[in-house]
Amino acid sequence: RQRQMCIRDRSRVRERLQRWFDTNAAGPSDHSARMLIVGPPRQVATRVTSRLQRLPKLVPPRVCSAAFRTVFNGWCTARRFQNYGTEHSCKLGCSPDAADSIEHYCRCPITREVFRKKLRIDLQPAKALMCFTMATREQEEEEEEILALSMLGVYAVYMCTNHYRNNPSQVNPQRAMQFLGQCLIQGCQGHKKLIRLFDKRWESPMTVIG
């Protein structure tokens, strides 16, 4: 019964990630020129499903919820609702030409700066979408710290973009950076293990995801 549930979960995850798979990069060591998810879809779905199931042991429910919404394309972005134009640009304020979309936010310069400065994670654009969907090798089981902190970062970006979507007149990169920092702290609240990881992260060497 448990095996059947796992297969069902994996199938659901694979179906939801389908839009982001690069069909021309389905090999384990392939690279995506379009910066999409690479690798055999079944393998990737199994990996992501396993991490979704493991995540509640590492982070609070609020962070799990943001991770789940990311994998299942549940952000209320303009692209999801097929709205385009400058009024539907990046809610972090990086550029009027940048889209309000998960595909942009994962590699937005402001996101990458916060990951670098606050989480000691150098998020390379080519693997940013894979990181946001928990599909990178750096988020393997033995690297639970990276999985937990990267999903804390996803939570912060999710919360920050929601805030500025409802308060568009306040958007600018400096405010967004400050708000993202606050969201990282908020995401840790009440979870001693994650607080310890976050507090000591500045002592760690930079982890490159790319």
Side-chain angles (χ1 to χ4, degrees):
R1 183 181 178 84
Q2 187 175 6
R3 177 177 168 77
Q4 288 176 339
M5 286 178 66
C6 286
I7 292 172
R8 207 161 47 238
D9 290 344
R10 184 182 65 203
S11 298
R12 196 175 300 124
V13 167
R14 179 173 176 175
E15 180 185 343
R16 300 305 295 180
L17 291 177
Q18 194 68 43
R19 66 175 62 77
W20 289 322
F21 281 126
D22 189 334
T23 54
N24 296 317
S29 58
D30 285 347
H31 298 278
S32 172
R34 298 161 59 203
M35 298 190 286
L36 298 175
I37 297 175
V38 302
R42 183 175 181 277
Q43 251 182 47
V44 173
T46 299
R47 191 185 310 152
V48 173
T49 303
S50 171
R51 292 167 188 179
L52 273 173
Q53 292 169 343
R54 198 166 77 248
L55 199 60
K57 298 177 183 177
L58 308 176
V59 297
R62 66 180 78 90
V63 177
C64 291
S65 176
F68 184 88
R69 285 176 179 273
T70 305
V71 171
F72 282 76
N73 193 30
W75 293 31
C76 294
T77 61
R79 178 170 291 179
R80 181 184 171 202
F81 295 104
Q82 300 182 5
N83 294 322
Y84 302 94
T86 54
E87 70 273 23
H88 300 298
S89 58
C90 174
K91 300 307 175 190
L92 302 180
C94 78
S95 166
D97 299 321
D100 176 22
S101 68
I102 292 176
E103 293 88 339
H104 166 70
Y105 291 126
C106 67
R107 56 183 73 99
C108 174
I110 296 172
T111 296
R112 295 182 61 218
E113 185 71 4
V114 167
F115 268 65
R116 257 195 314 271
K117 286 187 173 179
K118 302 289 188 180
L119 301 174
R120 303 286 294 162
I121 295 174
D122 185 358
L123 188 57
Q124 295 295 302
K127 290 294 178 70
L129 183 58
M130 290 186 68
C131 175
F132 264 49
T133 54
M134 298 183 286
T136 71
R137 61 180 178 79
E138 289 83 4
Q139 294 162 309
E140 292 290 353
E141 189 166 348
E142 61 271 16
E143 297 292 346
E144 288 191 336
E145 178 177 345
I146 301 305
L147 176 60
L149 290 171
S150 60
M151 289 304 102
L152 176 62
V154 169
Y155 165 82
V157 177
Y158 173 72
M159 293 298 292
C160 190
T161 55
N162 281 346
H163 173 78
Y164 287 119
R165 194 171 288 113
N166 295 318
N167 301 277
S169 62
Q170 300 176 11
V171 177
N172 69 60
Q174 291 74 28
R175 283 184 177 175
M177 287 283 289
Q178 292 172 357
F179 195 82
L180 282 164
Q182 293 170 11
C183 289
L184 290 172
I185 295 169
Q186 180 191 46
C188 294
Q189 284 180 352
H191 197 282
K192 293 181 180 178
K193 183 177 180 181
L194 187 57
I195 290 171
R196 281 197 302 271
L197 282 180
F198 184 53
D199 284 346
K200 292 183 177 180
R201 185 60 186 168
W202 67 272
E203 302 173 352
S204 305
M206 188 75 72
T207 298
V208 179
I209 296 183

